[in-house]
Amino acid sequence: VCELLLSDKEYVGFATLPNQVHRKSVKKGFDFTLMVAGESGLGKSTLVNSLFLTDLYKDRKLLNAEERITQTVEITKHTVDIEEKGVKLKLTIVDTPGFGDAVNNTECWKSVADYIDQQFEQYFRDESGLNRKNIQDNRVHCCLYFISPFGHGLRPLDVEFMKALHEKVNIVPVLAKADTLTPTEVKRKKIKIREEIEQYGIKIYQFPDCDSDEDEDFKQQDQELKDCIPFAVIGSNTVVEAKGKRVRGRLYPWGIVEVENPAHCDFVKLRNMLVRTHMQDLKDVTRETHYENYRAHCIQSMTRMVVKERNRNKLTRESGTDFPIPMVPGATDTETEKLIREKDEEVRHSPLLYNQNKYMKQN
């Protein structure tokens, strides 16, 4: 009978749920926060403009060598609203000018780590507040870390930066200015950097494994992305003519480097990964792993402080000591706890009340 009823009701309607979610999401719009880090001159600004076909650095002022010596690491934000085929994206680029430019770069990554923690803290406060309707998500979803092509792999600064941040943000390493290297040098350098990342225990962003039901083309594309780490990239905001076509590229005396030519660099693969295939996964990992770790740490710290404060108040009330118990650093008091302490102080300073209190406890 059940089978007969089910066959009569072939279509219930919940198959349209994905369409409902899609419509709602498109109406609401999407947001994505991308951080770019690396020393000056590696083409960070050019690459960001090339990735999103926009000019985010129109009013940028370049410092001379003398000014860069004393410059500290700044954190600058650029937000732009992009629309494509009716889908709106609020893109925030977090730049780190001054990183790695000083003579002494000791802990120059600290301000970057502090910024990421501040965004987690702000989201945690908003999420724990009374009005949670329109929470602004400014958490950093991805950090493109630019590695210099001049050298024999990772420098100590690269290792320290990535180790300091790899548990706070999704790090995607990028081999900058790949047009300064031959294809053989690019291949050799990629292998060297991957080996050093594993050697130093650096946790970069891990691409999710493909589902068993995915088609072979998608699996191959995913494997190619994994093999591309670090992405060897070239950026350009100028259009040049190559073989009768106008393309974005760089014109050299010996020829033209095309930014969007997969044979010349990994720019297209990086863009596809960031925008077309893994943007949502980057946001999911940020929410489910990095933010959850921060949130759990906060809740544990708050719980420990509350337990310490309660034990301290209990000890004060039961012991009837004449000396004040030192405050726990960072502990917050409720109105009730304040009143209890005030009463305890009154009892201690009044001999009659104090003796009565002692008598009551003894009996």
Side-chain angles (χ1 to χ4, degrees):
V1 175
C2 290
E3 286 179 8
L4 185 64
L5 285 170
L6 285 170
S7 61
D8 290 341
K9 282 184 167 182
E10 287 182 1
Y11 185 73
V12 176
F14 57 79
T16 62
L17 273 172
N19 297 334
Q20 295 173 39
V21 173
H22 173 75
R23 280 198 303 272
K24 193 173 182 181
S25 299
V26 169
K27 188 177 178 182
K28 185 181 176 184
F30 301 88
D31 51 65
F32 188 71
T33 301
L34 176 69
M35 175 180 276
V36 287
E39 64 182 56
S40 299
L42 292 180
K44 300 189 297 293
S45 309
T46 307
L47 183 73
V48 168
N49 288 338
S50 303
L51 280 170
F52 298 100
L53 300 177
T54 184
D55 189 4
L56 290 169
Y57 299 90
K58 286 178 278 192
D59 305 320
R60 186 177 59 153
K61 181 193 171 189
L62 295 174
L63 303 178
N64 58 38
E66 190 177 351
E67 289 172 322
R68 284 208 301 271
I69 290 172
T70 56
Q71 185 190 14
T72 54
V73 180
E74 295 177 51
I75 304 293
T76 59
K77 278 173 63 176
H78 306 272
T79 303
V80 62
D81 293 314
I82 306 172
E83 187 169 343
E84 184 181 77
K85 294 183 180 178
V87 179
K88 295 174 183 175
L89 174 68
K90 181 188 175 188
L91 174 69
T92 302
I93 302 295
V94 180
D95 203 351
T96 56
F99 175 79
D101 289 349
V103 174
N104 182 5
N105 289 309
T106 306
E107 293 193 343
C108 62
W109 55 83
K110 196 173 184 307
S111 57
V112 181
D114 288 344
Y115 176 83
I116 294 169
D117 283 339
Q118 284 165 16
Q119 305 317 305
F120 282 155
E121 183 187 351
Q122 186 59 51
Y123 192 86
F124 181 67
R125 286 176 183 276
D126 293 344
E127 190 184 47
S128 308
L130 293 173
N131 185 10
R132 308 196 308 167
K133 214 170 192 181
N134 299 308
I135 298 176
Q136 290 289 325
D137 185 5
N138 293 315
R139 295 172 294 183
V140 179
H141 301 120
C142 178
C143 174
L144 291 183
Y145 185 72
F146 285 68
I147 299 165
S148 173
F150 315 114
H152 300 287
L154 297 176
R155 299 166 305 159
L157 181 62
D158 301 329
V159 174
E160 291 301 323
F161 177 90
M162 289 194 275
K163 284 182 79 172
L165 269 73
H166 65 176
E167 292 186 343
K168 298 175 185 286
V169 68
N170 298 310
I171 297 175
V172 176
V174 168
L175 184 58
K177 293 187 177 288
D179 50 336
T180 61
L181 302 168
T182 66
T184 307
E185 288 171 334
V186 168
K187 191 176 180 182
R188 196 183 304 135
K189 200 172 280 287
K190 280 187 175 190
I191 293 169
K192 176 75 172 169
I193 290 169
R194 282 200 295 266
E195 285 174 354
E196 289 181 333
I197 284 171
E198 190 174 345
Q199 177 189 339
Y200 293 114
I202 298 167
K203 301 170 191 170
I204 59 171
Y205 171 66
Q206 296 296 315
F207 294 101
D209 294 327
C210 290
D211 296 328
S212 55
D213 59 345
E214 297 285 0
D215 57 39
E216 289 303 317
D217 288 343
F218 185 84
K219 288 180 180 177
Q220 186 183 348
Q221 190 182 20
D222 188 68
Q223 189 57 48
E224 285 176 5
L225 280 177
K226 290 175 181 176
D227 294 338
C228 274
I229 296 290
F231 293 95
V233 295
I234 303 164
S236 175
N237 297 323
T238 56
V239 177
V240 294
E241 194 164 323
K243 298 175 184 176
K245 292 190 299 180
R246 290 176 64 77
V247 294
R248 278 191 303 144
R250 302 179 76 88
L251 181 62
Y252 291 102
W254 43 263
I256 294 170
V257 176
E258 297 176 36
V259 170
E260 298 184 15
N261 187 338
H264 292 182
C265 70
D266 299 328
F267 173 84
V268 173
K269 288 173 183 170
L270 175 63
R271 185 178 63 189
N272 287 346
M273 187 279 288
L274 274 179
V275 181
R276 295 184 184 178
T277 58
H278 288 78
M279 181 181 277
Q280 189 57 48
D281 188 66
L282 287 162
K283 294 177 71 171
D284 290 344
V285 173
T286 300
R287 184 184 70 250
E288 295 167 9
T289 304
H290 300 303
Y291 174 67
E292 279 303 313
N293 289 341
Y294 175 86
R295 183 173 172 273
H297 176 73
C298 282
I299 291 171
Q300 284 172 358
S301 300
M302 288 162 66
T303 305
R304 279 196 295 266
M305 285 196 295
V306 168
V307 170
K308 279 183 183 178
E309 182 67 14
R310 281 178 182 168
N311 290 340
R312 189 186 69 78
N313 288 327
K314 187 179 177 185
L315 180 66
T316 306
R317 289 196 297 271
E318 289 180 356
S319 65
T321 51
D322 289 326
F323 55 87
I325 303 293
M327 290 286 290
V328 178
T332 55
D333 298 324
T334 62
E335 290 298 317
T336 309
E337 289 165 345
K338 283 182 181 177
L339 285 169
I340 291 168
R341 267 200 303 280
E342 285 170 8
K343 290 294 179 187
D344 285 343
E345 288 296 320
E346 286 176 20
V347 168
R348 288 194 202 100
H349 288 92
S350 171
L352 179 62
L353 289 171
Y354 178 70
N355 290 329
Q356 282 180 355
N357 191 36
K358 274 181 76 175
Y359 176 78
M360 292 290 287
K361 282 181 180 174
Q362 285 169 0
N363 294 283

